[in-house]
Amino acid sequence: MSTSGTDHKKGMMKTGLVYLGCSLFLALFGAVYEIFSHEVYSYYMIYAFAIPLAGGALPSFLFAYFGKHIPNRASHNLYNSGIAALSIGSVFTGVLKIYGTTNRLTAVYWVVGFGLIIISVCLYLSSIIKTLKKSDEA
């Protein structure tokens, strides 16, 4: 295994651990918030931890396990921003539900979050296709 392969693996493991820490923080935050919410619960708040866990930690650990890396830094940053937008949107929607109100502007978090993730996946796939075309030409 090359040095750059090891560096990519360590980088993806580090990203996975950061996402794992974010998931733990959101789980603890949701639990504490639910304790002080006078027995009013919101699934958005309860399951907010699952977004960085399933969308961030799991893919990062899988990329590290299989020795893959994100060839395009922009796609990596957009993906992280999408996961952050979805997580914050879930917490914010949960807070509003527990408070007993709603706001139609919370839909912006979901649209922007999924939009950023879709754009990042498209950039990732295009960079992989470019890399494959370069290797075929060489």
Side-chain angles (χ1 to χ4, degrees):
M1 180 180 278
S2 67
T3 306
S4 64
T6 305
D7 291 342
H8 292 303
K9 188 173 184 174
K10 286 181 183 179
M12 292 309 292
M13 285 296 290
K14 183 179 174 186
T15 301
L17 290 173
V18 168
Y19 274 121
L20 204 56
C22 290
S23 295
L24 181 62
F25 171 77
L26 287 176
L28 291 173
F29 179 80
V32 170
Y33 202 92
E34 298 289 334
I35 289 171
F36 294 106
S37 67
H38 304 289
E39 296 187 18
V40 179
Y41 303 106
S42 168
Y43 289 116
Y44 290 101
M45 184 68 75
I46 293 171
Y47 297 114
F49 77 93
I51 296 169
L53 183 65
L58 182 64
S60 295
F61 289 141
L62 286 174
F63 270 72
Y65 179 76
F66 291 112
K68 304 291 182 187
H69 71 283
I70 309 294
N72 188 346
R73 190 69 189 164
S75 66
H76 187 70
N77 291 340
L78 286 172
Y79 187 81
N80 290 341
S81 299
I83 295 295
L86 292 174
S87 300
I88 291 169
S90 183
V91 169
F92 186 62
T93 304
V95 167
L96 290 179
K97 296 272 184 190
I98 290 170
Y99 184 67
T101 188
T102 59
N103 190 332
R104 60 191 162 113
L105 295 176
T106 57
V108 172
Y109 287 106
W110 304 103
V111 171
V112 169
F114 283 118
L116 289 172
I117 290 172
I118 289 169
I119 292 169
S120 72
V121 169
C122 290
L123 283 172
Y124 175 72
L125 293 175
S126 70
S127 65
I128 287 177
I129 291 170
K130 285 180 186 178
T131 305
L132 290 174
K133 283 184 180 181
K134 283 184 181 179
S135 66
D136 286 343
E137 291 174 2

